[in-house]
Amino acid sequence: EIKIYDENDHLALVLDDVHKDQWTQVLSAMNYKIEHSRSPEQAVHKLKFTQYHMVVLHERFGDVSLDDSPVYQSLRDMPMSARRKIFLTLTGKDFKSASNMQAFQYSANLVINEKDMEKAPIILKKTVSENEAFYKIFKESLHALGKV
């Protein structure tokens, strides 16, 4: 099935089979258009051809650990100019929700423990708006320097 999006649409790729419905509800409320993948391989393919603004990745998506995840690897290997446009949220039982240090350690924008799913809307809205404010200045600086 081919979906057609407008250039102003915000796209989210949800790769969390356990909390798929909750993430879909949270992100839809934030006006994201949601996509899912059946497998890590399909997700990697989608990431190559679609510019997502948000990616939610469960630490065990596709029954592999984060270290062995082709999705996580392709996100980490992405050129920074492309990766910077994606807000990456990692979720699972091994994360401390909203830990900036842990997010940094995993090259993510946000980490959420799956026990805190009911807090996800609040945590996500706050972190996304902080990220947008930070990158607004960054993008303006790049533009002023003629780098964009």
Side-chain angles (χ1 to χ4, degrees), residues 3-6 8-14 24 27-36 52-54:
K3 295 179 182 170
I4 307 294
Y5 297 107
D6 291 332
N8 295 327
D9 285 345
H10 281 67
L11 306 180
L13 181 60
V14 175
T24 299
L27 293 169
S28 293
M30 293 174 70
N31 295 318
Y32 283 93
K33 306 282 187 193
I34 316 296
E35 289 194 6
H36 303 96
Y52 291 98
H53 301 90
M54 170 78 65

Side-chain angles (χ1 to χ4, degrees), residues 38-67:
R38 290 183 301 278
S39 67
E41 294 73 27
Q42 184 188 37
V44 168
H45 181 78
K46 285 183 174 208
L47 285 166
K48 281 183 186 166
F49 296 103
T50 305
Q51 176 62 63
Y52 291 98
H53 301 90
M54 170 78 65
V55 174
V56 175
L57 176 61
H58 190 277
E59 66 187 354
R60 298 289 310 163
F61 178 70
D63 261 347
V64 293
S65 69
L66 214 47
D67 290 337

Side-chain angles (χ1 to χ4, degrees), residues 67 71-79 83 105-107:
D67 290 337
V71 177
Y72 183 59
Q73 206 54 56
S74 71
L75 285 162
R76 290 189 57 186
D77 292 346
M78 203 175 266
R83 169 62 184 87
Q105 176 188 349
Y106 283 93
S107 302

Side-chain angles (χ1 to χ4, degrees), residues 8 12 17 26 42-43 49 74 94-95 98 103 108 112-113 119 130 133 144:
N8 295 327
D17 295 332
V26 168
Q42 184 188 37
F49 296 103
S74 71
D94 293 335
F95 297 113
I112 296 183
N113 189 292
K119 297 177 196 165
E130 288 171 354

